[in-house]
Amino acid sequence: MTTRREPFVSRTQEEAASGKNLLFFFLSPSSIITMPKGSLRCSILGHSIIRDLQQFCSSPGKINFDLEEWDTLFIYKPGAHISDVASLLPRALAHHPHVVIFQIGGNDFTGLVTQDHRSIPDQLVQIARQARSQGARRVYLCKLFVRGTSRYLPSSRHVDEYNQKVQAINTILTDWKPKLASEDIHIWSHKGQSLYANDFLSNDGTHFNPWGMTKLWKSVRGALVQSKSLLAPHPFPHG
């Protein structure tokens, strides 16, 4: 296996201890349709939430989403904006993923409440179509999460205005869901995201507490299980 020294590429526990950056290849049993280990590939891109998810996936019983047929690569940049996908996506596509999952966009309109958010849905669809055009069989655009008070949203007014923008973006993505599904671009809602969103958050108002990470892990796992059932008959588009 080729050693990679790029930042933001996930590592196994042994590789992390040795200082090597490699693909994330921990595998553990779970199967509905019997397939060879690592025969389906997924790249997950985003900001620091994806870093936290990768770390969460090193826990016993959580490794590789407890799906042995998936070979999962995490690529992230803390504080990433949608514009950063231009540098992250080539590394994700080098993994020859059958599935690409994006969790990004929430950092693009923090700070000044006057920042425009109306172009975010179009930008998300653009990067999804780019991934599809370059070989990904399925793409998931995850809906954005609300946030609490933080250094970027220092008051309840800032939080309310930010979360209203999140709701507006997620509503647009929901409206586009049927049309995008015909392109194998899927708008993904995390279970409990609407009812319990604030309960997901840690004290910093941005990242997730253990319960929130568990919900996110289960949600992404659900996307992979769904994809597996659809990709299983023809799992090797890239050879």
Side-chain angles (χ1 to χ4, degrees), residues 8 121 132 138 172 175 179 182 185 209:
F8 314 127
R132 282 280 292 124
R138 293 172 67 81
I172 292 172
D175 291 342
K179 179 180 183 300
S182 67
I185 297 171
N209 57 34

Side-chain angles (χ1 to χ4, degrees), residues 22-217:
L22 301 175
L23 297 182
F24 189 70
F25 273 110
F26 270 114
L27 302 169
S28 55
S30 180
S31 180
I32 300 172
I33 300 171
T34 301
M35 298 184 67
K37 291 184 178 182
S39 59
L40 293 172
R41 297 177 295 275
C42 174
S43 293
I44 305 177
L45 285 78
H47 40 58
S48 55
I49 291 291
I50 301 307
R51 173 202 61 199
D52 297 343
L53 180 61
Q54 183 255 306
Q55 293 171 354
F56 189 80
C57 283
S58 67
S59 305
K62 301 295 189 294
I63 293 170
N64 216 57
F65 297 96
D66 198 28
L67 297 169
E68 66 175 4
E69 63 278 358
W70 282 97
D71 166 15
T72 306
L73 175 67
F74 298 83
I75 299 182
Y76 54 87
K77 179 180 179 181
H81 294 75
I82 296 174
S83 60
D84 291 304
V85 171
S87 63
L88 300 177
L89 188 57
R91 299 207 297 273
L93 295 176
H95 188 46
H96 300 299
H98 300 81
V99 173
V100 174
I101 299 175
F102 291 100
Q103 181 72 70
I104 200 164
N107 293 324
D108 285 70
F109 52 97
T110 55
L112 296 175
V113 296
T114 56
Q115 286 180 280
D116 195 4
H117 65 287
R118 290 171 292 183
S119 66
I120 300 299
D122 284 316
Q123 293 180 57
L124 290 173
V125 172
Q126 183 177 353
I127 62 174
R129 286 175 172 157
Q130 184 179 355
R132 282 280 292 124
S133 69
Q134 296 185 46
R137 291 272 298 278
R138 293 172 67 81
V139 174
Y140 288 89
L141 291 173
C142 297
K143 289 186 177 181
L144 276 57
F145 291 103
V146 302
R147 297 186 178 182
T149 305
S150 68
R151 58 177 175 165
Y152 300 109
L153 302 170
S155 71
S156 58
R157 178 178 66 85
H158 290 89
V159 170
D160 289 344
E161 293 192 16
Y162 176 87
N163 289 340
Q164 287 172 11
K165 293 177 181 180
V166 167
Q167 183 177 8
I169 291 167
N170 287 345
T171 298
I172 292 172
L173 293 176
T174 299
D175 291 342
W176 291 353
K177 188 173 181 176
K179 179 180 183 300
L180 292 173
S182 67
E183 303 178 45
D184 264 326
I185 297 171
H186 303 276
I187 307 303
W188 196 250
S189 299
H190 302 295
K191 189 173 182 180
Q193 185 174 6
S194 298
L195 291 176
Y196 308 109
N198 290 320
D199 296 328
F200 285 4
L201 297 174
S202 66
N203 291 333
D204 70 4
T206 302
H207 300 96
F208 289 172
N209 57 34
W211 186 69
M213 288 307 306
T214 299
K215 299 291 282 187
L216 178 60
W217 181 89

